[in-house]
């Protein structure tokens, strides 16, 4: 079967192949690409249980990227999930206390975005060849920390691409800043912005839509693209680790083929948990997807009331990658809740844009039973890190702790005793200050590598190479710019004048 893609906001007259959708990212009407028809999977989990991560990923990706040849997909997968991961299982599943932990932080930037951003550049360059695009692809990204670094790690030295990342000078952690300025790769460019993340993000969006700039780029055989989490080249590779987890639990003898399990997912942009929803649609025996939020609990309210309302205070938390008030991938779920109705979807998204809120119909709400939602306070988050460390000698990061704690809320509220898998999205060494404070019970004054060393003494878990390599890595990026000079900075990098 050939899987084609359509917009969530337009009647399905325009369709695209997977490779075209990967290149384009967003649909021309501002909607998101979804498969015209969901692929048929017929997974044999007993067989998947004998497979490696790479083999399972192939079984999943071939359903979505049907205009890629088997050889092309294998090449993308091998390039993405290799020795840059410090665990040959890529996504190991472990058990601590009553819950399982799916560790998605063994990649080069020790956070789960590697699972998507290690493969996206390869899906993109294959797509460019397939569609006779000769231009060099220029990725623009604004980052509050994790995404920009993971994108650079993915695109570094990938042929026919360049990447330019802007980060707020005083808006990222010490470790994140060090990761950013030491990034290797002749095609990577990093610029510190005298402004906050929102300003940088707004400017990047503006530049990506600037027609004059596009024309200038085209004259030099260059084309902008984005590594945004709405790209199907990021979304669908994430389905693989849900399928892999189920197969691994069979292999470990924890479940029998056919048993249903739950996942608890620390959620920001709704990309990770949406991949779980697709895994369920493809036949993975998942009972509930628990949507876990921090104090920015706009999704908790949405699932519990049917109203999405971003008009609220924004909180900075110790799980910064989830400090989000507009979860862009939620539009895809909305589309399915409407029964794949692009007009209804477009209307709700219009409400979001004009009023900052929308309410779904009671009929749509009845289709939400695949999900359960909850949130945690900062205090509960710290407590959960402390509890797991002291009781089970397992240390989790503040994002994972959100999901771990909400999973317990779910169990207490529902008495559901199915196996619960907490999706672990970052290494504790990525947020050492918050983790140290939680474990010791007193706010840590150490940050950066000093905090890493202190944490290492306490938990005795090997420090990942991604962190140790920072000690000697030379600073390669020193540029900074004002927000209104971002366009000039890009032109300079690209030699456009
Ligand atoms: C991005 C991120 C999340 C949120 O994932 P979404 O797909 O945006 O919901 C959670 N934890 C960490 C560590 C992240 O980097």
């Amino acid at each position: 079967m050939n899987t084609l893609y359509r917009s969530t906001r337009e009647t399905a007259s325009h369709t695209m192949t997977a490779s075209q959708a990967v290149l384009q990212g967003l649909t021309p009407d501002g909607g998101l690409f979804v498969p015209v028809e969901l692929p048929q999977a017929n997974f044999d989990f007993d067989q998947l249980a004998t497979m490696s991560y790479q083999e399972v990923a192939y079984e999943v990706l071939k359903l979505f990227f049907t205009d890629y040849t088997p050889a092309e997909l294998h090449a993308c997968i091998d390039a993405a999930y290799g020795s840059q991961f410090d665990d040959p299982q890529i996504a190991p599943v472990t058990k601590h206390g009553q819950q399982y932990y799916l560790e998605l932080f063994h990649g080069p930037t020790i956070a789960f975005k590697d699972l998507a951003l290690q493969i996206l550049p390869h899906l993109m360059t294959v797509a460019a060849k397939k569609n006779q695009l000769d231009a060099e692809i220029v990725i623009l990204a604004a980052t509050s920390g994790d995404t920009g670094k993971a994108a650079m790690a993915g695109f570094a030295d990938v042929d026919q691409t360049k990447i330019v990342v802007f980060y707020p000078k005083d808006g990222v952690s010490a470790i994140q800043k060090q990761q950013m300025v030491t990034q290797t790769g002749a095609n990577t460019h990093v610029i510190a912005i005298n402004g906050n993340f929102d300003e940088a993000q707004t400017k990047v969006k503006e530049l990506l839509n600037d027609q004059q700039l596009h024309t200038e780029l085209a004259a030099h055989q260059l084309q902008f693209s984005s590594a945004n989490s709405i790209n199907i080249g990021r979304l669908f590779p994430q389905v693989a680790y849900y399928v892999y987890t189920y197969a691994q639990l069979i292999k470990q003898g924890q479940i029998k083929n056919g048993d249903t399990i739950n996942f608890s997912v620390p959620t920001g942009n709704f990309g990770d948990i949406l991949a779980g929803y697709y895994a369920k649609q493809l036949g993975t025996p998942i009972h509930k997807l628990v949507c876990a939020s921090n104090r920015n609990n706009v999704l908790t309210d949405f699932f519990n009331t049917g109203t999405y309302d971003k008009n609220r205070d924004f909180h900075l938390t110790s799980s910064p990658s989830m400090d989000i008030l507009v979860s862009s991938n939620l539009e895809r779920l909305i589309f399915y809740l409407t029964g794949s109705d692009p007009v209804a979807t477009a209307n709700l998204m219009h409400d979001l844009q004009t009023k900052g809120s929308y309410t779904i119909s009671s009929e749509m709400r009845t289709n939400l039973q695949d999900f359960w939602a909850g949130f945690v306070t900062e205090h509960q988050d710290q407590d959960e890190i402390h509890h797991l460390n002291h009781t089970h000698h397992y240390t989790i990061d503040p994002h994972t702790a959100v999901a771990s704690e909400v999973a317990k809320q779910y169990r207490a509220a529902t008495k559901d005793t199915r196996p619960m898998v907490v999706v672990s999205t970052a290494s504790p060494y990525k947020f050492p200050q918050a983790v140290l404070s939680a474990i010791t019970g007193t706010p840590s004054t150490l940050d950066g590598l000093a905090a890493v060393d202190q944490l290492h003494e306490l938990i005795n878990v090997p420090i990942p190479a991604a962190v140790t390599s920072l000690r000697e890595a030379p600073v390669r990026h020193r540029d900074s710019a004002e927000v209104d000079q971002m366009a000039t900075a890009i032109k300079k990098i690209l030699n456009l004048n």
Side-chain angles (χ1 to χ4, degrees):
M1 198 179 101
N2 189 14
T3 304
L4 292 173
Y5 291 84
R6 56 165 296 179
S7 167
T8 47
R9 296 193 194 177
E10 196 191 0
T11 20
S13 48
H14 296 302
T15 61
M16 285 199 183
T17 63
S19 67
Q20 289 167 337
V22 165
L23 284 177
Q24 186 135 355
L26 204 65
T27 72
D29 54 26
L32 307 188
F33 285 111
V34 284
V36 174
E37 266 179 75
L38 267 186
Q40 293 285 314
N42 304 318
F43 290 136
D44 175 348
F45 281 100
D46 287 321
Q47 202 190 343
L48 290 173
T50 66
M51 290 185 186
S52 67
Y53 188 84
Q54 294 82 350
E55 289 166 334
V56 172
Y58 178 74
E59 293 304 311
V60 172
L61 293 192
K62 74 177 188 190
L63 302 169
F64 291 103
F65 299 94
T66 48
D67 67 327
Y68 289 66
T69 65
E72 285 168 344
L73 273 187
H74 280 299
C76 290
I77 289 168
D78 290 346
Y81 306 122
S83 59
Q84 68 270 54
F85 281 76
D86 68 12
D87 189 307
Q89 289 195 70
I90 308 297
V93 187
T94 58
K95 190 174 189 191
H96 303 279
Q98 292 198 54
Q99 301 184 148
Y100 297 89
Y101 290 81
L102 166 60
E103 296 185 350
L104 299 181
F105 52 77
H106 291 278
T109 74
I110 56 176
F112 100 101
K113 288 183 176 66
D114 287 332
L115 276 293
L117 281 164
Q118 282 295 307
I119 195 165
L120 176 71
H122 302 287
L123 292 170
M124 250 187 204
T125 50
V126 170
K129 288 203 187 78
K130 219 177 248 311
N131 292 280
Q132 280 89 44
L133 185 85
D134 296 324
E136 190 168 27
I137 298 168
V138 180
I139 303 290
L140 282 194
T143 187
S144 56
D146 281 351
T147 308
K149 175 65 192 182
M152 282 195 291
F155 279 94
D157 291 326
V158 172
D159 278 353
Q160 221 195 329
T161 68
K162 277 194 168 60
I163 176 163
V164 185
V165 169
F166 298 95
Y167 72 94
K169 200 174 214 151
D170 302 312
V172 299
S173 80
I175 291 279
Q176 287 173 323
K177 188 172 209 151
Q178 209 151 349
Q179 282 187 318
M180 216 90 72
V181 298
T182 55
Q183 176 64 47
T184 57
N187 62 340
T188 64
H189 304 272
V190 183
I191 298 174
I193 290 303
N194 292 317
N196 63 30
F197 170 66
D198 276 336
E199 292 170 305
Q201 169 93 322
T202 305
K203 194 68 184 180
V204 161
K205 282 190 183 151
E206 202 182 297
L207 295 173
L208 285 170
N209 289 318
D210 183 330
Q211 283 317 311
Q212 201 194 323
L213 197 54
H214 272 263
T215 314
E216 275 183 62
L217 257 76
H220 290 77
Q221 294 283 320
L222 297 165
Q223 179 183 320
F224 276 147
S225 190
S226 97
N228 204 297
S229 81
I230 49 154
N231 194 306
I232 64 160
R234 268 185 73 175
L235 178 62
F236 294 124
Q238 297 178 159
V239 176
Y241 50 74
Y242 288 92
V243 176
Y244 179 71
T245 299
Y246 189 83
Q248 285 297 303
L249 288 177
I250 295 176
K251 183 179 175 185
Q252 293 178 13
Q254 307 281 359
I255 58 171
K256 291 194 309 297
N257 190 357
D259 290 351
T260 49
I261 65 172
N262 301 314
F263 283 92
S264 181
V265 190
T267 300
N269 230 344
F270 209 74
D272 195 354
I273 193 168
L274 186 75
Y277 181 72
Y278 276 107
K280 180 168 182 179
Q281 304 304 310
L282 293 180
T284 311
I286 298 170
H287 176 58
K288 290 281 181 195
L289 293 156
V290 175
C291 176
S293 299
N294 63 27
R295 276 193 70 202
N296 297 296
N297 58 352
V298 59
L299 285 166
T300 317
D301 289 346
F302 168 70
F303 282 107
N304 292 331
T305 68
T307 295
Y308 192 97
D309 188 356
K310 71 163 182 140
N311 303 308
R312 59 178 69 212
D313 289 342
F314 176 77
H315 301 284
L316 287 173
T317 73
S318 54
S319 43
S321 299
M322 298 159 67
D323 290 343
I324 285 174
L325 291 181
V326 178
S327 301
S328 21
N329 271 298
L330 187 64
E331 176 167 346
R332 289 188 166 105
L333 178 66
I334 297 292
F335 174 77
Y336 292 119
L337 297 177
T338 63
S340 304
D341 179 346
V343 178
T345 306
N347 284 340
L348 291 168
M349 293 305 122
H350 180 76
D351 283 352
L352 180 63
Q353 199 156 28
T354 53
K355 297 189 296 192
S357 71
Y358 59 83
T359 300
I360 61 172
S361 66
S362 50
E363 202 188 330
M364 284 172 72
R365 278 189 76 183
T366 59
N367 293 328
L368 284 178
Q369 74 273 15
D370 294 322
F371 296 90
W372 193 90
F375 75 99
V376 302
T377 63
E378 286 292 279
H379 192 73
Q380 289 172 313
D381 192 58
Q382 298 256 308
D383 273 359
E384 180 64 2
I385 296 172
H386 185 94
H387 167 77
L388 267 165
N389 175 267
H390 285 254
T391 314
H392 303 292
H393 310 291
Y394 183 59
T395 306
I396 56 176
D397 98 292
H399 300 76
T400 306
V402 170
S404 190
E405 172 63 23
V406 174
K408 288 185 187 162
Q409 292 177 10
Y410 168 78
R411 185 193 292 264
T414 61
K415 310 280 182 270
D416 181 358
T417 57
R418 288 179 180 82
M420 171 66 81
V421 181
V422 174
V423 178
S424 304
T425 50
S427 158
Y429 286 114
K430 190 147 195 178
F431 301 94
Q433 190 177 31
V435 175
L436 260 184
S437 306
I439 292 177
T440 59
T442 36
S444 168
T445 51
L446 297 176
D447 198 5
L449 289 169
V452 165
D453 289 334
Q454 178 85 29
L455 183 59
H456 180 240
E457 269 181 38
L458 278 181
I459 66 177
N460 208 16
V461 172
I463 302 175
V467 175
T468 44
S469 65
L470 288 178
R471 291 187 211 278
E472 274 110 56
V475 173
R476 297 188 63 246
H477 306 275
R478 291 193 172 83
D479 290 348
S480 66
E482 302 301 322
V483 174
D484 61 10
Q485 291 171 345
M486 285 167 60
T488 316
I490 292 168
K491 287 189 191 177
K492 196 174 143 211
I493 288 168
L494 300 177
N495 293 319
L496 306 180
N497 286 305

